Amino acid sequence: MAQKIAIGGDHAGYTYKSMLKAELTALGYESKDFGPDSEESVDYPDHVHPLAKAVIAGDAQLGILICGSGNGVAMTANKYQEIRAALCWTPELAKLAREHNNANILCIPARFVTEDVAREMVKVFLETKFEGGRHLNRVNKIAAC
């Protein structure tokens, strides 16, 4: 069974979301789309909260959020103790977010990266495993109690 990836964002990320859904299928993943369904203006928290909850519940193994700057979706997702949403703009940052921080949501700034960079970040994020070891203790200290 294919790993399920949650994907969503806002109107500024809609075009990239559509493109990345096709990329996920090509890479052998199943995607669950949390919207939006068009480029009409929306409030990103309406799409981020359900996506983050799906990742927490295990309904999706990882998540991808896309908005204009990536900041709004990252800030919203990171309100949840169990979420480690990483705003990335290069494949190297996406790799480190998984390896060192065990990020479970990749946040993409659609207005600041090309489609090719977004595709590569997604591929790297999904293929990279958490290293654990010296990073595990640090990751365990991220959530506020």
mmCIF file of all heavy atoms in Angstrom, residues 31-63:
data_model
loop_
_atom_site.group_PDB
_atom_site.id
_atom_site.type_symbol
_atom_site.label_atom_id
_atom_site.label_comp_id
_atom_site.label_asym_id
_atom_site.label_seq_id
_atom_site.Cartn_x
_atom_site.Cartn_y
_atom_site.Cartn_z
ATOM 1 N N SER A 31 -2.090 10.753 -2.453
ATOM 2 C CA SER A 31 -2.239 12.064 -1.818
ATOM 3 C C SER A 31 -3.664 12.258 -1.318
ATOM 4 O O SER A 31 -4.612 11.725 -1.887
ATOM 5 C CB SER A 31 -1.866 13.190 -2.782
ATOM 6 O OG SER A 31 -2.733 13.225 -3.889
ATOM 7 N N LYS A 32 -3.766 13.006 -0.218
ATOM 8 C CA LYS A 32 -5.070 13.422 0.302
ATOM 9 C C LYS A 32 -5.070 14.943 0.265
ATOM 10 O O LYS A 32 -4.257 15.585 0.922
ATOM 11 C CB LYS A 32 -5.279 12.910 1.719
ATOM 12 C CG LYS A 32 -6.586 13.388 2.324
ATOM 13 C CD LYS A 32 -7.074 12.486 3.422
ATOM 14 C CE LYS A 32 -8.330 12.992 4.103
ATOM 15 N NZ LYS A 32 -9.414 13.390 3.226
ATOM 16 N N ASP A 33 -5.960 15.495 -0.542
ATOM 17 C CA ASP A 33 -6.007 16.928 -0.798
ATOM 18 C C ASP A 33 -6.911 17.629 0.215
ATOM 19 O O ASP A 33 -8.086 17.315 0.332
ATOM 20 C CB ASP A 33 -6.519 17.156 -2.216
ATOM 21 C CG ASP A 33 -6.414 18.588 -2.677
ATOM 22 O OD1 ASP A 33 -6.246 19.497 -1.836
ATOM 23 O OD2 ASP A 33 -6.506 18.811 -3.897
ATOM 24 N N PHE A 34 -6.335 18.601 0.933
ATOM 25 C CA PHE A 34 -7.072 19.367 1.924
ATOM 26 C C PHE A 34 -7.467 20.755 1.410
ATOM 27 O O PHE A 34 -7.879 21.611 2.181
ATOM 28 C CB PHE A 34 -6.263 19.473 3.220
ATOM 29 C CG PHE A 34 -6.266 18.185 3.988
ATOM 30 C CD1 PHE A 34 -5.362 17.180 3.679
ATOM 31 C CD2 PHE A 34 -7.192 17.959 4.996
ATOM 32 C CE1 PHE A 34 -5.374 15.973 4.373
ATOM 33 C CE2 PHE A 34 -7.221 16.768 5.689
ATOM 34 C CZ PHE A 34 -6.308 15.768 5.374
ATOM 35 N N GLY A 35 -7.318 20.973 0.113
ATOM 36 C CA GLY A 35 -7.732 22.236 -0.489
ATOM 37 C C GLY A 35 -6.661 23.299 -0.388
ATOM 38 O O GLY A 35 -5.606 23.062 0.197
ATOM 39 N N PRO A 36 -6.978 24.407 -1.021
ATOM 40 C CA PRO A 36 -8.224 24.811 -1.640
ATOM 41 C C PRO A 36 -8.419 24.179 -3.023
ATOM 42 O O PRO A 36 -7.523 23.529 -3.545
ATOM 43 C CB PRO A 36 -8.080 26.330 -1.745
ATOM 44 C CG PRO A 36 -6.610 26.541 -1.942
ATOM 45 C CD PRO A 36 -5.956 25.463 -1.116
ATOM 46 N N ASP A 37 -9.591 24.434 -3.592
ATOM 47 C CA ASP A 37 -9.939 23.832 -4.872
ATOM 48 C C ASP A 37 -9.856 24.806 -6.037
ATOM 49 O O ASP A 37 -10.280 24.477 -7.150
ATOM 50 C CB ASP A 37 -11.353 23.241 -4.788
ATOM 51 C CG ASP A 37 -11.429 22.145 -3.740
ATOM 52 O OD1 ASP A 37 -10.457 21.379 -3.603
ATOM 53 O OD2 ASP A 37 -12.454 22.076 -3.038
ATOM 54 N N SER A 38 -9.322 26.004 -5.774
ATOM 55 C CA SER A 38 -9.170 26.996 -6.842
ATOM 56 C C SER A 38 -8.211 28.086 -6.373
ATOM 57 O O SER A 38 -7.717 28.043 -5.247
ATOM 58 C CB SER A 38 -10.529 27.622 -7.191
ATOM 59 O OG SER A 38 -10.925 28.523 -6.174
ATOM 60 N N GLU A 39 -8.000 29.071 -7.226
ATOM 61 C CA GLU A 39 -7.143 30.211 -6.885
ATOM 62 C C GLU A 39 -7.932 31.333 -6.208
ATOM 63 O O GLU A 39 -7.379 32.393 -5.937
ATOM 64 C CB GLU A 39 -6.445 30.738 -8.138
ATOM 65 C CG GLU A 39 -5.418 29.765 -8.682
ATOM 66 C CD GLU A 39 -4.714 30.272 -9.928
ATOM 67 O OE1 GLU A 39 -5.310 31.065 -10.689
ATOM 68 O OE2 GLU A 39 -3.558 29.872 -10.137
ATOM 69 N N GLU A 40 -9.209 31.080 -5.903
ATOM 70 C CA GLU A 40 -10.024 32.065 -5.175
ATOM 71 C C GLU A 40 -9.429 32.263 -3.785
ATOM 72 O O GLU A 40 -9.008 31.298 -3.140
ATOM 73 C CB GLU A 40 -11.461 31.571 -5.035
ATOM 74 C CG GLU A 40 -12.215 31.487 -6.318
ATOM 75 C CD GLU A 40 -13.174 32.650 -6.505
ATOM 76 O OE1 GLU A 40 -13.571 33.275 -5.506
ATOM 77 O OE2 GLU A 40 -13.504 32.900 -7.669
ATOM 78 N N SER A 41 -9.420 33.480 -3.311
ATOM 79 C CA SER A 41 -8.852 33.802 -2.007
ATOM 80 C C SER A 41 -9.510 32.985 -0.891
ATOM 81 O O SER A 41 -10.736 32.865 -0.839
ATOM 82 C CB SER A 41 -9.019 35.290 -1.724
ATOM 83 O OG SER A 41 -8.415 35.621 -0.498
ATOM 84 N N VAL A 42 -8.663 32.397 -0.040
ATOM 85 C CA VAL A 42 -9.123 31.611 1.112
ATOM 86 C C VAL A 42 -8.289 31.975 2.331
ATOM 87 O O VAL A 42 -7.243 32.599 2.212
ATOM 88 C CB VAL A 42 -9.011 30.083 0.860
ATOM 89 C CG1 VAL A 42 -9.904 29.644 -0.278
ATOM 90 C CG2 VAL A 42 -7.570 29.675 0.619
ATOM 91 N N ASP A 43 -8.749 31.552 3.472
ATOM 92 C CA ASP A 43 -7.988 31.695 4.707
ATOM 93 C C ASP A 43 -7.244 30.387 4.928
ATOM 94 O O ASP A 43 -7.860 29.344 5.192
ATOM 95 C CB ASP A 43 -8.920 31.981 5.883
ATOM 96 C CG ASP A 43 -9.647 33.311 5.740
ATOM 97 O OD1 ASP A 43 -9.091 34.222 5.100
ATOM 98 O OD2 ASP A 43 -10.773 33.424 6.259
ATOM 99 N N TYR A 44 -5.915 30.414 4.810
ATOM 100 C CA TYR A 44 -5.110 29.185 4.882
ATOM 101 C C TYR A 44 -5.335 28.350 6.142
ATOM 102 O O TYR A 44 -5.283 27.129 6.069
ATOM 103 C CB TYR A 44 -3.617 29.471 4.668
ATOM 104 C CG TYR A 44 -3.025 30.472 5.609
ATOM 105 C CD1 TYR A 44 -2.606 30.110 6.881
ATOM 106 C CD2 TYR A 44 -2.894 31.797 5.228
ATOM 107 C CE1 TYR A 44 -2.093 31.054 7.754
ATOM 108 C CE2 TYR A 44 -2.367 32.742 6.085
ATOM 109 C CZ TYR A 44 -1.967 32.369 7.344
ATOM 110 O OH TYR A 44 -1.456 33.285 8.198
ATOM 111 N N PRO A 45 -5.621 28.950 7.327
ATOM 112 C CA PRO A 45 -5.833 28.079 8.493
ATOM 113 C C PRO A 45 -6.981 27.079 8.301
ATOM 114 O O PRO A 45 -6.956 25.990 8.873
ATOM 115 C CB PRO A 45 -6.138 29.060 9.625
ATOM 116 C CG PRO A 45 -5.413 30.311 9.227
ATOM 117 C CD PRO A 45 -5.605 30.375 7.728
ATOM 118 N N ASP A 46 -7.969 27.439 7.475
ATOM 119 C CA ASP A 46 -9.087 26.531 7.235
ATOM 120 C C ASP A 46 -8.642 25.237 6.560
ATOM 121 O O ASP A 46 -9.328 24.219 6.656
ATOM 122 C CB ASP A 46 -10.157 27.215 6.371
ATOM 123 C CG ASP A 46 -10.804 28.398 7.078
ATOM 124 O OD1 ASP A 46 -10.752 28.467 8.324
ATOM 125 O OD2 ASP A 46 -11.363 29.263 6.367
ATOM 126 N N HIS A 47 -7.518 25.261 5.888
ATOM 127 C CA HIS A 47 -6.984 24.082 5.207
ATOM 128 C C HIS A 47 -5.835 23.445 5.987
ATOM 129 O O HIS A 47 -5.637 22.238 5.938
ATOM 130 C CB HIS A 47 -6.536 24.454 3.793
ATOM 131 C CG HIS A 47 -7.640 25.060 2.990
ATOM 132 N ND1 HIS A 47 -8.649 24.319 2.431
ATOM 133 C CD2 HIS A 47 -7.920 26.349 2.701
ATOM 134 C CE1 HIS A 47 -9.494 25.116 1.814
ATOM 135 N NE2 HIS A 47 -9.078 26.360 1.961
ATOM 136 N N VAL A 48 -5.098 24.265 6.712
ATOM 137 C CA VAL A 48 -3.942 23.769 7.464
ATOM 138 C C VAL A 48 -4.358 22.950 8.679
ATOM 139 O O VAL A 48 -3.795 21.866 8.923
ATOM 140 C CB VAL A 48 -3.016 24.927 7.894
ATOM 141 C CG1 VAL A 48 -1.890 24.424 8.781
ATOM 142 C CG2 VAL A 48 -2.464 25.653 6.672
ATOM 143 N N HIS A 49 -5.326 23.432 9.438
ATOM 144 C CA HIS A 49 -5.723 22.708 10.655
ATOM 145 C C HIS A 49 -6.170 21.274 10.366
ATOM 146 O O HIS A 49 -5.676 20.343 11.015
ATOM 147 C CB HIS A 49 -6.801 23.481 11.425
ATOM 148 C CG HIS A 49 -6.285 24.710 12.124
ATOM 149 N ND1 HIS A 49 -5.337 24.662 13.123
ATOM 150 C CD2 HIS A 49 -6.578 26.014 11.935
ATOM 151 C CE1 HIS A 49 -5.077 25.889 13.544
ATOM 152 N NE2 HIS A 49 -5.810 26.734 12.830
ATOM 153 N N PRO A 50 -7.063 21.041 9.387
ATOM 154 C CA PRO A 50 -7.447 19.648 9.107
ATOM 155 C C PRO A 50 -6.274 18.792 8.621
ATOM 156 O O PRO A 50 -6.165 17.616 8.974
ATOM 157 C CB PRO A 50 -8.521 19.765 8.020
ATOM 158 C CG PRO A 50 -9.022 21.158 8.114
ATOM 159 C CD PRO A 50 -7.878 21.984 8.617
ATOM 160 N N LEU A 51 -5.360 19.378 7.839
ATOM 161 C CA LEU A 51 -4.198 18.638 7.361
ATOM 162 C C LEU A 51 -3.304 18.242 8.535
ATOM 163 O O LEU A 51 -2.892 17.083 8.647
ATOM 164 C CB LEU A 51 -3.422 19.470 6.343
ATOM 165 C CG LEU A 51 -2.238 18.783 5.678
ATOM 166 C CD1 LEU A 51 -2.059 19.294 4.256
ATOM 167 C CD2 LEU A 51 -0.953 18.977 6.460
ATOM 168 N N ALA A 52 -3.012 19.176 9.420
ATOM 169 C CA ALA A 52 -2.158 18.872 10.574
ATOM 170 C C ALA A 52 -2.787 17.792 11.440
ATOM 171 O O ALA A 52 -2.098 16.867 11.900
ATOM 172 C CB ALA A 52 -1.907 20.141 11.387
ATOM 173 N N LYS A 53 -4.084 17.869 11.643
ATOM 174 C CA LYS A 53 -4.781 16.858 12.444
ATOM 175 C C LYS A 53 -4.708 15.480 11.785
ATOM 176 O O LYS A 53 -4.605 14.463 12.472
ATOM 177 C CB LYS A 53 -6.231 17.273 12.680
ATOM 178 C CG LYS A 53 -6.351 18.443 13.633
ATOM 179 C CD LYS A 53 -7.792 18.918 13.761
ATOM 180 C CE LYS A 53 -7.883 20.145 14.665
ATOM 181 N NZ LYS A 53 -9.248 20.679 14.724
ATOM 182 N N ALA A 54 -4.750 15.439 10.451
ATOM 183 C CA ALA A 54 -4.642 14.158 9.737
ATOM 184 C C ALA A 54 -3.256 13.550 9.916
ATOM 185 O O ALA A 54 -3.116 12.338 10.087
ATOM 186 C CB ALA A 54 -4.951 14.352 8.252
ATOM 187 N N VAL A 55 -2.214 14.381 9.892
ATOM 188 C CA VAL A 55 -0.850 13.885 10.115
ATOM 189 C C VAL A 55 -0.723 13.366 11.543
ATOM 190 O O VAL A 55 -0.179 12.283 11.774
ATOM 191 C CB VAL A 55 0.202 14.974 9.799
ATOM 192 C CG1 VAL A 55 1.594 14.533 10.225
ATOM 193 C CG2 VAL A 55 0.185 15.317 8.305
ATOM 194 N N ILE A 56 -1.244 14.100 12.499
ATOM 195 C CA ILE A 56 -1.182 13.690 13.906
ATOM 196 C C ILE A 56 -1.912 12.360 14.111
ATOM 197 O O ILE A 56 -1.418 11.468 14.804
ATOM 198 C CB ILE A 56 -1.777 14.782 14.826
ATOM 199 C CG1 ILE A 56 -0.877 16.014 14.821
ATOM 200 C CG2 ILE A 56 -1.959 14.256 16.246
ATOM 201 C CD1 ILE A 56 -1.525 17.257 15.405
ATOM 202 N N ALA A 57 -3.066 12.214 13.490
ATOM 203 C CA ALA A 57 -3.879 11.007 13.650
ATOM 204 C C ALA A 57 -3.313 9.806 12.896
ATOM 205 O O ALA A 57 -3.754 8.684 13.102
ATOM 206 C CB ALA A 57 -5.308 11.282 13.180
ATOM 207 N N GLY A 58 -2.335 10.038 12.021
ATOM 208 C CA GLY A 58 -1.775 8.942 11.235
ATOM 209 C C GLY A 58 -2.551 8.642 9.969
ATOM 210 O O GLY A 58 -2.281 7.651 9.284
ATOM 211 N N ASP A 59 -3.530 9.499 9.643
ATOM 212 C CA ASP A 59 -4.278 9.328 8.397
ATOM 213 C C ASP A 59 -3.412 9.652 7.188
ATOM 214 O O ASP A 59 -3.739 9.276 6.062
ATOM 215 C CB ASP A 59 -5.523 10.216 8.392
ATOM 216 C CG ASP A 59 -6.498 9.838 9.501
ATOM 217 O OD1 ASP A 59 -6.514 8.655 9.915
ATOM 218 O OD2 ASP A 59 -7.237 10.727 9.961
ATOM 219 N N ALA A 60 -2.331 10.378 7.422
ATOM 220 C CA ALA A 60 -1.302 10.661 6.417
ATOM 221 C C ALA A 60 0.038 10.547 7.126
ATOM 222 O O ALA A 60 0.157 10.934 8.285
ATOM 223 C CB ALA A 60 -1.481 12.053 5.822
ATOM 224 N N GLN A 61 1.023 10.014 6.432
ATOM 225 C CA GLN A 61 2.327 9.822 7.067
ATOM 226 C C GLN A 61 3.112 11.131 7.148
ATOM 227 O O GLN A 61 3.821 11.374 8.120
ATOM 228 C CB GLN A 61 3.137 8.767 6.306
ATOM 229 C CG GLN A 61 2.660 7.346 6.572
ATOM 230 C CD GLN A 61 1.267 7.077 6.004
ATOM 231 O OE1 GLN A 61 1.013 7.300 4.828
ATOM 232 N NE2 GLN A 61 0.364 6.614 6.850
ATOM 233 N N LEU A 62 2.971 11.974 6.128
ATOM 234 C CA LEU A 62 3.646 13.270 6.078
ATOM 235 C C LEU A 62 2.718 14.267 5.405
ATOM 236 O O LEU A 62 1.723 13.878 4.791
ATOM 237 C CB LEU A 62 4.962 13.177 5.291
ATOM 238 C CG LEU A 62 6.060 12.299 5.880
ATOM 239 C CD1 LEU A 62 7.181 12.088 4.863
ATOM 240 C CD2 LEU A 62 6.614 12.917 7.161
ATOM 241 N N GLY A 63 3.070 15.560 5.498
ATOM 242 C CA GLY A 63 2.262 16.588 4.864
ATOM 243 C C GLY A 63 3.091 17.563 4.059
ATOM 244 O O GLY A 63 4.292 17.721 4.303
#
